[in-house]
Amino acid sequence: MKRLLGFALAVSIALLSTGCGGSKEINTTTVYDGISPMTDAELVVMSDNYISNYYGIDVADLQQYVFAKSEDPKTADTIIIFKCQDKEKRKTYITALENAVNQKYTELSNYDLPEEAKLVKDSKIVEDGDIVYIVIAENAKDMNKIIKDSIS
Amino acid sequence: MNKSKRIYGLFALMVFIIAISVSIDGIRTEKHKKEQDFVQAEQTTTTEISTESTTADEDNTDDEETTEGTTISPEEKAKKVEEFYTGQVFLGDSIMSGFSLYASKMEAPQWLNNIIFLAKTSWKVGEVLTDNSGPLYKGNVQNVTVTLDEIKPQRIFVCLGINEMNGLGSPGYSVEKLVNKYGEMIEGIKKAAPQSKVYVISITPCTAEKENPMFSNAVIDEFNEAISSKSSEWGVEFVDLAAEFGDVLAPEYSSDGVHHTNKSYKEVWVPFFEELALEN
């Protein structure tokens, strides 16, 4: 009986440990549906081909994802949330996001759109466990908080 | 006596439990059967609908006559367009960026989604060959000639120049100088992608409201005519998208007088490029 209780306790601890330091959960569709109306821009959800060609991200490596940006190239609004359990690939994909953000900043600055460029400059790529997200928008702070609270 | 009562009691309890189990199982079986019947009914309906659609499609074959006089079905047409553009490069500025974003929309045709867009907002003809932070490709920032060498497309479509139109009326600037730069850019692109056929797309006009002494449709026309006349010398094909819009850009097709709306991409750009694929 004691052995059985000991085994059950070990399994519980193992499960709890996995929950604390390992895979995190988020429903990107629900979160995106909730926060996308908070931007003024008309957002377009990018296709898998676009994500692959532009960011070099293979969506087959992602367990959950949403990539959306303003359909007007002169505005900065962007919402990207993805879950990638592969640590090395996640690192590469974060670098691709950094490159995209830097390029967007240069483009908008060259186009003499300082307010849009500032939104890009103020944005931050967040890595929370295996979930990565970035919001570029006027309400980015509130939207980031909603994303953060949605991660379990 | 008590013992036999207990036995009878236990026996009665068992009978009761068995009876309950049988009833529940019966209810489940009935429910499952109803669900199966429902699914089957749904499948039958779906099959009937799809059969009807197929028949309707067969009856209403919307075959089109090509310029050669042969007929081509919508399926063949879609296949030809998709083959023509899959893996090919569209290179340009913010107007092309807008087209690339439109390509992701649900309403956009599949062939458009198969194009590799190398577009950068605010990009200029004079920057293309020297810009080492060219359009992002596979997450990398690099010169576009490096990217073209990696992709090795069969076809490259170039639409650039609008960002240098503003100011062509200023001293020291001229259409001729811009066209010379354009020629150098084409030479660099062809060197980077010798296997590719290059198409140069005319710059689309602006709205009447957007015109001013420094930025006019007359100058845009002059530039388009110049790149058209140079196309055979450069060994490229001139593609006159601008002609589809007439002398001025209709306000309904533009968000700010220069850039295009989804309505423009859907109603003008998409049919234009589909036609181009079918003609080639």
Side-chain angles (χ1 to χ4, degrees):
Chain A
M1 190 65 178
K2 274 184 183 174
R3 275 184 194 171
L4 192 69
L5 278 172
F7 178 72
L9 192 65
V11 168
S12 305
I13 290 168
L15 287 172
L16 282 170
S17 306
T18 311
C20 290
S23 187
K24 295 205 170 189
E25 293 303 327
I26 188 167
N27 187 327
T28 50
T29 311
T30 309
V31 175
Y32 176 73
D33 288 346
I35 63 173
S36 56
M38 293 169 75
T39 68
D40 294 330
E42 278 290 323
L43 297 175
V44 55
V45 175
M46 290 170 249
S47 68
D48 293 353
N49 274 0
Y50 189 102
I51 296 166
S52 169
N53 287 332
Y54 192 70
Y55 298 101
I57 295 176
D58 183 352
V59 295
D61 296 331
L62 311 180
Q63 289 71 50
Q64 290 248 10
Y65 64 97
V66 64
F67 288 71
K69 61 179 177 181
S70 168
E71 63 181 26
D72 181 355
K74 301 188 308 310
T75 54
D77 295 62
T78 305
I79 298 172
I80 293 173
I81 312 166
F82 65 81
K83 175 180 171 171
C84 179
Q85 288 176 320
D86 186 316
K87 199 177 172 184
E88 285 306 307
K89 282 180 177 164
R90 193 165 69 237
K91 201 176 159 190
T92 310
Y93 294 164
I94 289 173
T95 305
L97 285 189
E98 285 167 351
N99 288 342
V101 169
N102 291 336
Q103 183 159 92
K104 191 73 187 169
Y105 176 72
T106 312
E107 285 178 17
L108 295 169
S109 301
N110 289 347
Y111 221 79
D112 200 19
L113 295 164
E115 287 176 9
E116 293 297 320
K118 189 178 181 303
L119 293 179
V120 181
K121 197 177 180 184
D122 293 344
S123 68
K124 193 181 167 192
I125 299 167
V126 182
E127 187 181 6
D128 187 348
D130 45 16
I131 293 165
V132 177
Y133 60 93
I134 177 171
V135 174
I136 304 174
E138 272 198 36
N139 287 331
K141 201 176 168 186
D142 296 336
M143 291 156 82
N144 275 325
K145 191 178 182 309
I146 292 171
I147 299 172
K148 190 183 174 191
D149 292 345
S150 305
I151 298 171
S152 54
Chain B
M1 186 67 183
N2 280 344
K3 196 177 176 184
S4 53
K5 265 186 183 175
R6 268 187 216 151
I7 289 168
Y8 283 129
L10 271 172
F11 182 71
L13 188 66
M14 278 171 69
V15 168
F16 179 73
I17 290 167
I18 289 166
I20 292 283
S21 303
V22 169
S23 308
I24 290 170
D25 195 42
I27 291 164
R28 277 185 185 160
T29 310
E30 186 63 25
K31 196 183 167 195
H32 182 64
K33 193 174 175 296
K34 277 182 182 170
E35 281 172 356
Q36 273 190 329
D37 289 347
F38 178 74
V39 170
Q40 276 177 356
E42 283 275 287
Q43 282 172 344
T44 312
T45 316
T46 314
T47 312
E48 278 166 10
I49 291 167
S50 61
T51 312
E52 279 169 17
S53 321
T54 312
T55 316
D57 288 346
E58 282 165 4
D59 291 344
N60 300 318
T61 45
D62 191 19
D63 289 358
E64 281 186 11
E65 197 168 317
T66 64
T67 45
E68 291 83 23
T70 53
T71 53
I72 182 166
S73 68
E75 292 79 16
E76 286 171 321
K77 183 181 160 186
K79 195 182 166 199
K80 194 175 175 190
V81 174
E82 200 162 331
E83 281 174 359
F84 189 76
Y85 290 115
T86 298
Q88 310 313 319
V89 166
F90 273 50
L91 199 141
D93 45 40
S94 49
I95 295 177
M96 192 59 85
S97 279
F99 199 31
S100 76
L101 290 164
Y102 175 73
S104 277
K105 289 188 90 78
M106 293 293 281
E107 66 180 47
Q110 183 56 43
W111 64 263
L112 190 57
N113 195 29
N114 294 347
I115 287 170
I116 300 169
F117 289 95
L118 298 178
K120 192 176 170 185
T121 301
S122 77
W123 223 20
K124 294 177 177 173
V125 172
E127 294 172 349
V128 171
L129 298 178
T130 54
D131 183 7
N132 288 328
S133 58
L136 203 70
Y137 176 65
K138 299 281 179 195
N140 296 315
V141 173
Q142 57 196 18
N143 191 289
V144 76
T145 55
V146 176
T147 306
L148 290 174
D149 185 46
E150 276 177 29
I151 301 171
K152 293 184 172 49
Q154 278 180 282
R155 301 177 188 92
I156 302 169
F157 298 81
V158 183
C159 189
L160 279 160
I162 195 76
N163 290 318
E164 279 132 309
M165 286 291 118
N166 203 357
L168 277 183
S170 312
Y173 290 86
S174 70
V175 168
E176 193 186 346
K177 278 188 180 176
L178 180 57
V179 171
N180 288 341
K181 267 198 266 181
Y182 203 100
E184 287 167 18
M185 175 191 72
I186 293 296
E187 200 182 328
I189 288 171
K190 290 182 82 171
K191 202 174 166 187
Q195 73 293 332
S196 309
K197 180 173 178 179
V198 180
Y199 297 77
V200 298
I201 305 169
S202 55
I203 298 177
T204 51
C206 63
T207 58
E209 292 74 26
K210 194 74 182 174
E211 286 193 276
N212 63 58
M214 304 292 279
F215 186 81
S216 70
N217 282 319
V219 179
I220 291 174
D221 285 346
E222 194 185 338
F223 174 77
N224 285 338
E225 279 169 27
I227 59 170
S228 170
S229 64
K230 286 272 186 182
S231 57
S232 43
E233 184 189 320
W234 293 336
V236 299
E237 188 171 325
F238 178 72
V239 177
D240 199 3
L241 173 66
E244 301 295 307
F245 293 95
D247 295 334
V248 291
L249 187 61
E252 66 189 284
Y253 286 145
S254 183
S255 52
D256 58 3
V258 176
H259 293 90
H260 289 245
T261 55
N262 286 332
K263 186 178 168 67
S264 169
Y265 292 127
K266 184 183 179 179
E267 292 180 3
V268 184
W269 288 61
V270 166
F272 176 80
F273 283 105
E274 282 179 349
E275 198 57 40
L276 181 75
L278 294 171
E279 284 168 2
N280 277 268

